[in-house]
Each structure stands twice: as C-alpha cells, then as structure tokens.
Amino acid sequence: MPPDLVLRPELPSDDDAIETLYEVAFGPGRFARTAYRLRDGVPHDTGTSFVADRNGLVIGAIRQTRVRVGGVPAFLLGPLAVAETAAKQGIGRALLTRCIEASRDTEAVAIVLVGDPPFYGPSGFVQVWDEILMPGPVERHRLMALPLKGTVAGPLLADAW
Ligand SMILES: CC(C)(COP(=O)(O)OP(=O)(O)OC[C@H]1O[C@@H](n2cnc3c(N)ncnc32)[C@H](O)[C@@H]1OP(=O)(O)O)[C@@H](O)C(=O)NCCC(=O)NCCS
C-alpha cells in the first residue's frame, strides 16, 4: 500500500466524499440492486466502515450494514470502491482486510456480499450459491460469504436488521 496513505474509521464529515466515490464507481443504478433493499433505511455500521485517506482526500471507502442471516447477526459488505486514479495499488484489498479484522471483534457470525469471486476469494470469501437467500434477484455466482464463527450452511434468509 502507498506509504502516504492512511486507513482510518469513517467520520460523518467523510459522507459527501464517500457518496461521490460510490456514484462514480457504481452509478445511480446502484440503489435498485437487491443489496440496497437490505441497506434501505438502515444506517451503515460505522464500527466496521473505513476510508483510505491520502492527505485529507478520501480515495477509497468500504462500508458494511448490519443484517440478519438465518435470524442471527451478520454483515452485508459494501459498497467498496477505490478512486480510478488510485486503482491497483493494493488499497481495495487493504480496506477489505481492515473491515474483516474489525468484523471479527463483533457478534456477527458472517460477512455476506454480492461481488466478484476473483477479488473476494483470496480474502477468504466463498461462493454460497443457494445457501443464502436474498430478498430479491442476485447473480447467484456472485453471492459470497465469509464465516466469522462456525460455518454458513443454509438455506438461510438474509434479512434487514
Ligand atoms: C474493485 C476495487 C475496489 C479494487 O480496488 P483496488 O484498490 O484497485 O484493488 P487492489 O489494488 O487492492 O487489487 C487487489 C487485487 O484484486 C484484483 N482486482 C481488482 N478488482 C478486481 C475485480 N473486480 N475482479 C477481480 N480481481 C480484481 C487486482 O488486479 C489485484 O490483483 P493482484 O493482487 O493479483 O495484482 C476497485 O477496482 C473499484 O472500486 N471498482 C469499482 C467498484 C467495484 O466494483 N467495487 C467492488 C464491488 S464487487
């Protein structure tokens, strides 16, 4: 990771910069995605949400939302985005690692996400296919989970907190 970069917990004052990052990375269509049904109206979990800060500029961000999977506490990871100008320097992976570490200190049993298996696989996420049921359509091969305690064996309904 670049030496001038700091990974730190997200602050309320980062909000605009983070929303801009997400808007550029995912576009306005992101709000229609199934994952957003679980995020809708629920504040993200600030204890496991981090930014990459370069000289006061937010160039990467990862957020999580508290959800229930099979009735027990879990996290829905995302969005994760790194500014195009700072891509491929290990920042995305570093944010992901920090987020996972912070999640281990919570009561959550797993982290669930909808994302690219080649990116998330090396960080321990496995494809869960039909083991987790989302409240809307998802590309099943992109549905992944990282068990924090025990295993994820379903079918388990992912539900808003
Ligand atoms: C995905 C994203 C967060 C990666 O950030 P980054 O800082 O460029 O990633 P890193 O430099 O830490 O890359 C780590 C590795 O993952 C690979 N990688 C990056 N994005 C990937 C993707 N979408 N699929 C597969 N591999 C990916 C990199 O090539 C790199 O591989 P290497 O270690 O073998 O060189 C960034 O490209 C981004 O913001 N994309 C747009 C939003 C997005 O798709 N978010 C993720 C939702 S699934």
Side-chain angles (χ1 to χ4, degrees):
M1 216 183 51
D4 60 344
L5 203 83
V6 177
L7 296 192
R8 60 167 176 79
E10 174 188 332
L11 301 171
S13 55
D14 296 321
D15 216 48
D16 287 351
I18 293 170
E19 288 303 333
T20 302
L21 264 182
Y22 290 162
E23 176 67 22
V24 171
F26 300 104
R30 67 190 185 281
F31 296 114
R33 294 183 183 186
T34 292
Y36 272 87
R37 290 196 200 172
L38 295 174
R39 294 180 187 132
D40 198 25
V42 186
H44 57 278
D45 180 64
T46 49
T48 60
S49 297
F50 296 91
V51 298
D53 179 324
R54 177 177 279 155
N55 303 321
L57 213 63
V58 171
I59 56 166
I62 190 166
R63 279 179 170 171
Q64 289 201 130
T65 304
R66 289 160 65 89
V67 295
R68 288 185 181 277
V69 173
V72 297
F75 286 116
L76 176 69
L77 188 143
L80 163 64
V82 173
E84 192 74 60
T85 50
K88 299 199 184 304
Q89 298 174 28
I91 299 169
R93 179 80 58 204
L95 281 167
L96 181 59
T97 301
R98 182 74 181 269
C99 177
I100 293 169
E101 282 167 3
S103 302
R104 291 193 190 284
D105 292 334
T106 72
E107 59 180 353
V109 298
I111 301 175
V112 177
L113 61 82
V114 182
D116 294 336
F119 180 72
Y120 290 101
S123 289
F125 286 83
V126 293
Q127 290 165 286
V128 290
W129 303 100
D130 294 326
E131 295 296 300
I132 293 177
L133 309 173
M134 294 287 277
V138 290
E139 295 171 274
R140 308 294 321 176
H141 74 281
R142 302 184 79 232
L143 186 57
M144 306 187 80
L146 173 69
L148 300 171
K149 300 171 177 68
T151 54
V152 175
L156 304 168
L157 179 66
D159 211 351
W161 179 252

